[in-house]
Amino acid sequence: MGKEEGVKLSALEEDILTLMGTQKMYGLEMLDGLNENRPIPIGFGSLYPTLNRLEKKGLISWKWGDEQDQTGGARRKYYIVTGMGSNVLREVQEYRRLLAFRAQQGPLTPQGG
């Protein structure tokens, strides 16, 4: 494994990377996607610090959009998952699949007992 080994993801970080997939997204768009059917909605105060952590870990990057929104507001900041971010997410999701598989197998029996 490479640099990705040992990178930890919080539940919200994992949700964000999963939602983004391979598309670029801006903050409000992410909030809408994350909060749909979410038991406890998150706000900008949780989203942007999490995006900052993901960027510092090298899992996402961002760039300014060229256009202004229809109301004449500021340009949007678009985020995209990096290759490293995709690798880390894939590793975490594979681990979760293994856990689910183990859970379906029933309780573990102690060795030699």
Side-chain angles (χ1 to χ4, degrees):
M1 285 193 185
K3 220 174 138 181
E4 297 87 23
E5 193 172 336
V7 175
K8 295 180 182 179
L9 291 180
S10 71
L12 182 55
E13 289 171 341
E14 186 178 345
D15 288 351
I16 290 170
L17 292 177
T18 301
L19 174 70
M20 291 176 66
T22 58
Q23 61 186 336
K24 65 179 185 176
M25 297 181 82
Y26 59 94
L28 182 59
E29 190 176 26
M30 280 185 223
L31 272 185
D32 289 346
L34 290 167
N35 284 332
E36 186 175 331
N37 301 322
R38 188 180 195 93
I40 301 172
I42 62 163
F44 288 110
S46 296
L47 178 66
Y48 285 109
T50 304
L51 290 171
N52 190 33
R53 281 194 306 276
L54 286 167
E55 183 187 2
K56 285 183 178 181
K57 291 177 183 181
L59 306 180
I60 63 170
S61 61
W62 64 269
K63 68 175 191 168
W64 289 111
D66 295 331
E67 80 290 345
Q68 292 185 327
D69 69 20
Q70 293 82 357
T71 63
R75 291 186 303 168
R76 291 180 175 150
K77 191 175 187 179
Y78 286 94
Y79 297 87
I80 190 151
V81 179
T82 63
M84 183 175 158
S86 293
N87 290 340
V88 168
L89 180 62
R90 190 171 31 257
E91 289 172 8
V92 168
Q93 289 176 336
E94 178 59 25
Y95 174 70
R96 298 232 183 282
R97 278 190 290 277
L98 288 171
L99 286 179
F101 177 76
R102 287 182 199 145
Q104 292 171 358
Q105 301 305 307
L108 298 175
T109 56
Q111 296 294 327

